[in-house]
C-alpha cells in the first residue's frame, strides 16, 4: 500500500475523475500503478476476487442516464470489492425522464448521503456539470462523445501488460492504431489522451467523417505522443503494437445501414463498404506482427467491425480488458475517495 | 417626421437639454470638434460653441466626453412576443439605453414570428408604450421564417418594417432566396441573411476545430457560412437587392464580402462584439455562455474580422443581443440555446477590439454604430444616426476613459448570459438621450 502521510494514495490528489484530457502523466501512472497492484481475477487471473476495505461503510451511487450494463456492473463490483454499499439509479427509473436535470438528480442523491457517484449520460460535459455542484467525488462513466476515462485507463493497462510496460507505464516506442468512429467515440478520446501522455504514438484510422484532421488535436498537449489520422487501415497494421477497434455507434449516426444499402442520415454508405476498409477480419489480423494485440471496448458488433474469429482468437485481449476494468475502477474509486477525505479529514 | 412609421417615443418632449463642452462627433457631416448641443421639444435646435445656458431645463457637462448621435443596434432579439421569460421590449430597451443605444432593430424570430403587418404594428405599439428607446421591427422574409412561402413583403413594407430577415434561420434554397431578393429589392430596403447552410451544421454546437474535437462536440465549419454568402452574392447579381450579411464569423466570409464589394455589388456586413474578441477556446469546460450562432472561431478569424472593419469591408456593428434564461443556459452544452446578451457591454468591447488595437479611431467606431446602421435600415431618412439641427434629439454621451467591470448582476436587461462577466472594460455611455429625454444616466455604480 502506498498511502502517503496525508492520506492520499500514490500522490493522487484529484477528487473527481472526469477525463484523461489534461490529466498529467504522473497522475495517470499513479492510478495505473495502483490498479496493477490489485490482483486480477476471472479466467485470466486469480479465482478469488480481491477484497479491500478502502470504502468500508461508504456508499457509492451509480447514476446511469444512458443504457449500460457492462460498465455499471463493473463499477458496482469495484465498489463492493472496496467494501462499499452501492445504490443504482439506472435510466428507466431516474427522474431525468420526468424532466429533472442531471444536476438536480445528482444533488438529490448526494443529499441522501452518498460518498461517491458514478455518472453516465448522453450529454458531453454532464459529469463535469454535476461535479461542479456536488461535494463528493464524481467519476465519469462516459459523457456523450467526450470521455470515458476508466475505459481509457483499462485499455492502457491492458496494452501496457501485453507489452511488458506495466512497471513503468512508459509507452514510448509503441504504436497504437485506433480504428473506426473516432468522431463519436468517448473511448477513443480518453484512450488517445492517456496513451499519448504516456508516450505512445497513435494512428487514428476510419472513414472520412468518422476520422477527421482535427483528431490530431486529441493528443495530450505537449506530447510526448502524437496522433496521426488516415483513412487506410491495411498499410498501418504491420506497425501496430495494439489495435483498438471501436464499436460503430448506430445510435449516434441515424439509422443503421442495411448490409449493402444505405439509409438516410447514416454516416457510412453501407456495412459492406465499412467492412471492406476497416473491419478487423481474420485476414487482417494475420498481417499483425507478433505480439500485437486487438482490443475492443464492447459491446461488439460481431461480423461488423470485428470478426468473431478475431474476437475469440489469440490476439484478442477483450476479456482481459473487462477484467482490468474492475481493477482500474477499484483504483479510481479508492484514490478519489482518499483524496477527498484527505482534504476534508473530519468529513 | 423623424419618427419613421411610428418609430416609438411618440409623445413630444417639451423639456430642453443643453450638452456643453463635449467633443461632438457626427460622422455623417464630418463634424468633430468641441461644441455644445441644444435639444428642445425632442429635436436638436442648435450645435455650436458657447450656446446660451439660459433657458435649458437641464445642463449636462460633457467635458472630456464624446457626444455622439444616438447609437443604433440593427440586430437585437427582444423576445416579445412569446419568450418574455428571456426578455421583453421593456427590459430589452432598458438594456439598450444602459448601453447607449437610442434605437434598436429587433429580429422577427419571436413566437409568433413578425411576418405579418399586424405583428409589425404590434412591435411598434409595444415599443411606443413600453420601450425606453426606439424600436424598429425587422420582418420575416418568409412566412413563419420557414423558407417555404414568401411573406407579404409589400404589406410589411407599408406597415413600417425597416428590413427583412429570417434571422435564426437561413433562407435555405436558392429558389426561395432569389424570390426574396427580388421582393425585397422592390421595397428598397435591405435583406439581412443569417448565413448558415444547415445541412453542414446538423447537431453542431460550436466551431469545428481542435476544441470541438477534444470536447466531443459536433463541429460547425466556416464553410457553412461562406457557401451561403457566395451563393447569395451570385443570386443577387442582376437583382440588386441591398444584401446584408449578419454576424460574420469567419475570415473567409470577410474575403467574400470584400471581393463582392470591390466588384460593385450591394453587399454590406456586420460584426458582433464576441466575434471581434473571443475564440472557440471560450467554450472550454462546456461554458454555455460562449455558445453562440454563428460560433466563436479561431484567432485568425478574429484578426480577419477586425481587418475587415479597418479596411471598410465591414461597415456595421451589431450585438446580436440574444437573451436566454439562466435555467436554459445551465443545460448541458449541446442542449443549451445559442446566443449571448450584448447591448450593455457592446461599446466597451468594441473599443477594446477596434480602437485599442488601432484598427479604427473613435469617429469611425461611432460611424459604425450610428450612421452606417441607420443607412442599412433606412433610418437616416428620418435623421437618425446623425446629429443635425432639426434632427431627432437622439444623443449618446460617451466617457471614453471610464473604467468599469462587467457585472451581470447589475444588468438592466432580464437575462444575464454573457461570457464577459468580470471583464474590465474602458469606455461606456454615461447619458442616453432619446427624443430629447434623458432615458438613462450612468450613476457610477457597476
Amino acid at each position: 500500500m502506498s498511502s502517503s502521510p496525508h492520506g492520499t494514495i500514490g500522490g493522487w490528489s484529484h477528487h473527481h475523475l472526469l477525463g484523461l484530457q489534461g490529466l498529467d502523466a504522473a497522475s495517470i501512472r499513479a492510478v495505473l500503478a495502483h490498479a496493477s497492484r490489485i490482483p486480477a481475477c476471472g479466467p485470466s487471473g486469480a479465482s478469488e476476487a480481491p477484497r479491500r476495505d478502502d470504502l468500508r461503510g461508504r456508499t457509492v451511487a451509480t447514476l446511469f442516464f444512458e443504457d449500460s450494463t457492462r460498465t455499471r456492473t463493473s463499477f458496482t463490483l469495484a465498489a463492493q470489492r472496496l467494501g462499499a454499499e452501492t445504490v443504482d439509479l439506472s435510466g428507466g427509473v431516474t427522474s431525468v425522464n420526468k424532466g429533472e436535470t442531471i444536476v438536480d438528480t445528482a444533488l438529490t442523491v448526494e443529499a441522501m448521503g452518498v460518498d461517491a457517484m458514478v455518472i453516465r449520460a448522453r450529454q458531453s460535459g454532464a459529469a463535469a456539470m454535476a461535479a461542479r455542484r456536488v461535494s463528493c467525488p464524481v467519476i465519469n462513466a462516459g459523457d456523450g462523445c467526450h470521455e470515458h476515462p476508466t475505459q481509457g485507463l483499462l485499455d492502457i493497462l491492458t496494452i501496457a501488460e501485453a507489452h511488458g510496460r506495466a512497471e513503468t507505464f512508459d509507452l514510448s516506442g509503441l504504436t497504437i492504431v485506433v480504428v473506426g468512429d473516432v468522431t463519436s467515440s468517448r473511448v477513443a478520446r480518453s484512450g488517445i489522451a492517456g496513451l499519448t501522455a504516456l508516450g505512445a504514438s497513435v494512428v487514428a484510422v476510419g472513414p472520412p467523417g468518422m476520422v477527421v484532421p482535427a483528431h490530431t488535436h486529441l493528443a495530450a498537449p505537449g506530447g510526448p505522443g502524437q496522433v496521426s489520422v488516415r483513412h487506410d487501415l491495411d498499410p498501418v497494421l504491420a506497425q501496430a503494437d495494439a489495435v483498438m477497434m471501436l464499436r460503430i455507434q448506430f445510435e449516434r449516426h441515424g439509422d443503421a445501414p442495411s448490409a449493402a444499402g444505405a439509409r438516410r442520415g447514416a454516416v457510412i454508405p453501407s456495412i459492406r463498404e465499412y467492412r471492406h476498409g476497416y473491419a478487423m477480419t481474420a485476414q487482417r489480423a494475420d498481417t499483425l506482427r507478433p505480439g500485437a494485440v486487438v482490443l475492443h471496448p464492447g459491446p461488439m458488433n460481431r461480423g461488423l467491425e470485428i470478426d468473431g474469429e478475431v474476437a475469440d482468437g489469440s490476439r484478442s485481449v477483450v476479456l482481459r480488458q473487462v477484467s482490468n476494468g474492475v481493477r482500474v475502477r477499484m483504483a479510481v474509486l479508492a484514490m478519489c475517495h482518499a483524496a477527498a477525505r484527505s482534504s476534508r479529514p473530519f468529513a | 417626421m423623424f419618427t419613421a412609421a411610428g418609430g416609438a417615443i411618440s409623445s413630444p418632449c417639451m423639456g430642453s437639454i443643453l450638452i456643453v463642452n463635449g467633443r461632438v462627433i457626427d460622422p455623417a457631416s464630418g463634424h468633430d470638434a468641441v461644441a455644445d448641443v441644444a435639444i428642445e421639444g425632442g429635436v436638436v435646435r442648435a450645435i455650436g460653441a458657447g450656446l446660451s445656458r439660459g433657458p435649458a431645463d437641464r445642463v449636462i457637462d460633457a467635458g472630456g466626453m464624446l457626444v455622439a448621435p444616438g447609437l443604433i443596434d440593427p440586430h437585437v432579439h427582444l423576445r416579445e412576443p412569446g419568450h418574455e421569460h428571456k426578455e421583453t421590449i421593456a427590459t430589452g430597451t432598458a438594456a439598450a439605453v444602459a448601453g447607449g443605444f437610442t434605437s434598436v432593430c429587433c429580429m422577427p424570430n419571436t413566437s409568433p414570428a413578425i411576418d405579418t403587418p399586424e405583428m409589425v404594428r404590434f412591435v411598434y405599439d409595444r415599443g411606443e408604450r413600453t420601450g425606453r428607446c426606439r424600436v424598429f421591427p425587422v420582418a420575416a422574409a418568409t412566412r413563419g421564417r420557414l423558407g417555404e412561402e414568401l411573406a407579404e413583403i409589400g404589406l410589411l413594407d407599408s406597415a413600417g418594417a425597416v428590413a427583412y430577415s429570417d434571422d435564426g434561420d437561413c433562407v435555405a434554397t436558392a429558389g426561395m432566396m432569389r424570390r426574396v431578393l427580388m421582393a425585397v429589392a422592390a421595397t428598397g430596403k435591405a435583406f439581412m441573411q443569417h448565413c448558415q447552410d444547415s445541412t453542414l451544421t446538423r447537431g453542431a454546437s460550436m466551431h469545428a476545430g481542435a476544441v470541438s474535437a477534444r470536447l466531443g462536440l459536433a463541429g460547425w465549419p466556416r464553410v457553412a457560412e461562406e457557401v451561403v454568402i457566395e451563393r447569395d452574392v451570385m443570386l443577387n447579381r442582376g437583382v440588386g437587392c441591398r444584401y446584408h450579411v449578419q454576424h460574420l464569423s469567419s475570415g473567409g466570409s470577410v474575403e467574400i464580402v470584400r471581393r463582392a464589394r470591390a466588384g460593385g455589388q450591394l453587399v454590406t456586413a456586420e460584426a458582433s462584439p464576441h466575434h471581434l474578441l473571443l475564440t472557440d477556446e471560450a467554450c472550454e469546460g462546456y461554458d454555455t455562455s460562449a455558445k453562440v450562432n454563428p460560433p466563436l472561431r479561431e484567432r485568425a478569424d478574429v484578426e480577419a474580422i477586425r481587418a475587415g472593419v479597418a479596411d471598410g469591408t465591414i461597415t456595421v456593428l451589431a450585438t446580436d443581443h440574444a437573451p436566454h434564461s439562466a435555467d436554459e443556459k445551465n443545460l448541458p452544452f449541446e442542449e443549451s440555446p445559442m446566443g449571448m446578451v450584448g447591448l450593455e457591454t457592446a461599446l466597451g468591447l468594441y473599443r477594446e477590439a477596434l480602437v485599442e488595437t488601432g484598427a479604427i479611431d473613435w469617429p469611425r467606431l461611432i460611424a459604425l454604430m450610428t450612421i452606417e446602421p441607420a443607412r442599412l435600415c433606412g433610418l437616416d431618412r428620418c435623421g437618425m444616426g446623425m446629429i443635425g439641427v432639426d434632427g431627432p434629439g437622439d444623443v449618446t454621451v460617451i466617457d471614453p476613459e471610464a473604467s468599469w467591470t462587467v457585472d451581470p448582476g447589475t444588468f438592466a436587461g432580464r437575462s444575464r448570459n454573457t461570457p464577459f462577466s468580470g471583464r474590465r472594460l474602458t469606455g461606456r455611455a454615461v447619458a442616453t438621450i432619446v427624443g430629447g429625454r434623458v432615458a438613462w444616466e450612468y450613476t457610477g455604480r457597476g
Side-chain angles (χ1 to χ4, degrees):
Chain A
M1 236 354 273
S2 57
S3 289
S4 76
H6 308 293
T8 61
I9 300 173
W12 175 271
S13 60
H14 308 280
H15 292 206
H16 311 295
L17 178 65
L18 304 174
L20 300 189
Q21 295 176 353
L23 199 58
D24 59 295
S27 293
I28 297 173
R29 288 198 171 98
V31 68
L32 290 169
H34 190 53
S36 72
R37 284 191 290 271
I38 297 169
C41 62
S44 54
S47 56
E48 200 167 317
R51 298 277 169 188
R52 301 172 57 94
D53 59 3
D54 299 66
L55 295 182
R56 182 156 311 284
R58 304 285 167 172
T59 306
V60 174
T62 50
L63 281 64
F64 279 61
F65 302 110
E66 190 182 55
D67 279 350
S68 163
T69 310
R70 310 157 58 100
T71 303
R72 184 161 47 85
T73 306
S74 180
F75 268 110
T76 303
L77 281 174
Q80 289 171 352
R81 287 176 189 170
L82 292 168
E85 292 179 3
T86 58
V87 57
D88 176 52
L89 288 89
S90 58
V93 298
T94 58
S95 303
V96 167
N97 291 343
K98 302 174 197 156
E100 189 177 61
T101 67
I102 286 167
V103 169
D104 282 333
T105 306
L107 289 169
T108 302
V109 170
E110 186 183 40
M112 294 177 191
V114 301
D115 301 285
M117 55 182 79
V118 178
I119 298 181
R120 165 168 292 191
R122 70 184 158 76
Q123 298 94 343
S124 300
M129 284 182 76
R132 277 196 289 271
R133 296 291 299 279
V134 302
S135 53
C136 72
V138 172
I139 313 300
N140 181 7
D143 62 327
C145 301
H146 180 222
E147 284 237 34
H148 189 356
T150 56
Q151 178 74 43
L153 290 168
L154 74 88
D155 288 345
I156 296 167
L157 177 59
T158 306
I159 290 168
E161 285 177 339
H163 289 282
R165 306 289 183 100
E167 292 297 315
T168 60
F169 293 102
D170 177 355
L171 305 184
S172 43
L174 294 184
T175 298
I176 315 302
V177 178
V178 179
V179 186
D181 188 3
V182 174
T183 293
S184 308
S185 178
R186 54 197 177 206
V187 173
R189 277 181 183 74
S190 292
I192 291 171
L195 288 164
T196 52
L198 302 185
S201 298
V202 171
V203 185
V205 188
M210 289 186 171
V211 167
V212 299
H215 289 154
T216 56
H217 297 290
L218 298 180
Q226 304 287 316
V227 177
S228 58
V229 302
R230 52 192 303 159
H231 303 300
D232 47 354
L233 176 60
D234 291 317
V236 297
L237 285 176
Q239 309 149 32
D241 295 295
V243 185
M244 296 173 62
M245 304 304 298
L246 301 176
R247 192 172 69 87
I248 299 186
Q249 303 190 58
F250 293 114
E251 67 274 21
R252 298 191 201 282
H253 285 301
D255 295 339
S258 56
R263 290 188 206 158
R264 270 179 78 83
V267 151
I268 52 173
S270 70
I271 286 172
R272 68 176 185 176
E273 184 187 280
Y274 184 86
R275 280 186 56 79
H276 174 73
Y278 306 104
M280 183 53 73
T281 58
Q283 207 175 7
R284 282 203 172 100
D286 285 342
T287 69
L288 292 167
R289 64 188 183 195
V293 292
V294 176
L295 295 88
H296 192 294
M300 293 184 280
N301 298 304
R302 284 174 184 258
L304 208 168
E305 72 264 357
I306 188 165
D307 281 1
E309 222 178 316
V310 182
D312 303 330
S314 61
R315 295 191 180 274
S316 169
V317 289
V318 168
L319 292 176
R320 183 72 187 180
Q321 288 174 271
V322 175
S323 150
N324 282 343
V326 180
R327 302 164 80 195
V328 158
R329 286 164 184 137
M330 286 175 75
V332 168
L333 284 168
M335 292 169 96
C336 288
H337 177 68
R341 282 196 76 194
S342 74
S343 69
R344 290 178 289 117
F346 305 109
Chain B
M1 51 165 197
F2 52 76
T3 51
I9 320 300
S10 51
S11 59
C13 174
M14 289 312 172
S16 61
I17 301 171
L18 185 65
I19 306 166
V20 298
N21 299 325
R23 177 182 166 194
V24 179
I25 298 175
D26 178 40
S29 65
H31 185 284
D32 182 357
V34 173
D36 303 339
V37 177
I39 303 168
E40 192 185 357
V43 173
V44 174
R45 295 296 182 197
I47 306 165
L51 296 182
S52 164
R53 298 183 180 217
D57 299 322
R58 173 79 200 272
V59 176
I60 295 173
D61 184 354
M65 310 281 173
L66 311 180
V67 178
L71 305 180
I72 300 170
D73 192 332
H75 187 157
V76 303
H77 299 271
L78 299 182
R79 306 299 190 203
E80 186 178 349
H83 306 109
E84 291 85 352
H85 66 289
K86 300 172 193 266
E87 195 82 283
T88 62
I89 288 173
T91 60
T93 54
V97 294
F101 294 94
T102 59
S103 293
V104 293
C105 302
C106 58
M107 290 297 144
N109 60 337
T110 47
S111 185
I114 304 170
D115 63 351
T116 60
E118 292 75 16
M119 286 300 298
V120 168
R121 283 191 280 270
F122 168 83
V123 172
Y124 275 124
D125 181 55
R126 293 292 288 173
E128 285 178 28
R129 292 199 286 125
T130 69
R132 303 275 299 274
C133 71
R134 302 181 199 273
V135 178
F136 297 100
V138 173
T142 69
R143 281 185 206 270
R145 303 169 42 256
L146 296 173
E148 289 163 4
E149 298 170 77
L150 212 52
E152 299 162 306
I153 288 174
L155 295 179
L156 292 165
D157 192 51
S158 300
V162 295
Y164 300 89
S165 178
D166 278 0
D167 184 44
D169 288 293
C170 183
V171 177
T173 68
M176 178 50 72
M177 187 60 203
R178 188 174 158 81
R179 293 185 61 198
V180 165
L181 289 168
M182 291 192 295
V184 176
T187 68
K189 304 259 171 70
F191 173 75
M192 303 169 162
Q193 179 73 299
H194 171 105
C195 303
Q196 177 190 353
D197 184 325
S198 63
T199 64
L200 294 167
T201 64
R202 235 168 244 151
S205 50
M206 68 172 294
H207 170 62
V211 180
S212 68
R214 283 198 296 270
L215 293 179
L217 297 171
W220 182 308
R222 294 181 182 87
V223 72
E225 174 174 294
E226 295 159 358
V227 73
V228 171
I229 307 174
E230 194 82 82
R231 178 201 73 178
D232 289 352
V233 165
M234 293 175 78
L235 288 170
N236 198 29
R237 226 168 258 156
V239 175
C241 181
R242 294 169 55 215
Y243 175 78
H244 178 74
V245 179
Q246 297 184 307
H247 43 48
L248 279 173
S249 72
S250 111
S253 300
V254 177
E255 186 51 33
I256 295 167
V257 172
R258 184 179 286 126
R259 267 191 282 115
R261 286 170 66 87
Q265 294 242 56
L266 289 171
V267 180
T268 55
E270 73 192 27
S272 303
H274 40 282
H275 292 124
L276 287 161
L277 285 164
L278 301 179
T279 66
D280 58 349
E281 290 174 6
C283 299
E284 292 276 15
Y286 300 97
D287 185 345
T288 59
S289 76
K291 182 180 178 184
V292 63
N293 178 350
L296 302 171
R297 299 202 186 272
E298 297 175 26
R299 185 48 51 185
D301 299 287
V302 169
E303 297 298 335
I305 296 167
R306 289 178 183 175
V309 172
D311 73 8
T313 300
I314 296 164
T315 55
V316 174
L317 297 174
T319 63
D320 189 12
H321 179 81
H324 293 294
S325 73
D327 285 337
E328 292 164 324
K329 276 291 187 180
N330 284 339
L331 290 169
F333 196 90
E334 288 151 289
E335 295 165 12
S336 164
M338 293 177 282
M340 53 184 73
V341 294
L343 284 164
E344 299 183 59
T345 50
L347 191 56
L349 294 171
Y350 291 143
R351 191 213 63 91
E352 178 183 338
L354 297 170
V355 178
E356 189 175 308
T357 60
I360 55 173
D361 58 13
W362 268 107
R364 182 62 189 154
L365 173 58
I366 290 169
L368 287 155
M369 299 180 75
T370 57
I371 186 62
E372 296 281 11
R375 286 181 183 134
L376 173 67
C377 298
L379 306 179
D380 57 324
R381 292 195 298 270
C382 317
M384 288 177 207
M386 54 191 103
I387 301 181
V389 173
D390 294 335
D394 293 3
V395 174
T396 302
V397 182
I398 298 165
D399 181 347
E401 305 300 334
S403 183
W404 60 290
T405 302
V406 178
D407 175 5
T410 66
F411 281 176
R414 180 159 285 175
S415 293
R416 310 272 178 265
N417 52 305
T418 174
F420 295 108
S421 179
R423 199 178 184 97
R424 195 86 191 147
L425 295 181
T426 301
R428 65 170 304 142
V430 291
T432 307
I433 299 165
V434 183
R437 272 183 231 268
V438 178
W440 182 83
E441 259 181 298
Y442 183 51
T443 56
R445 286 179 287 108

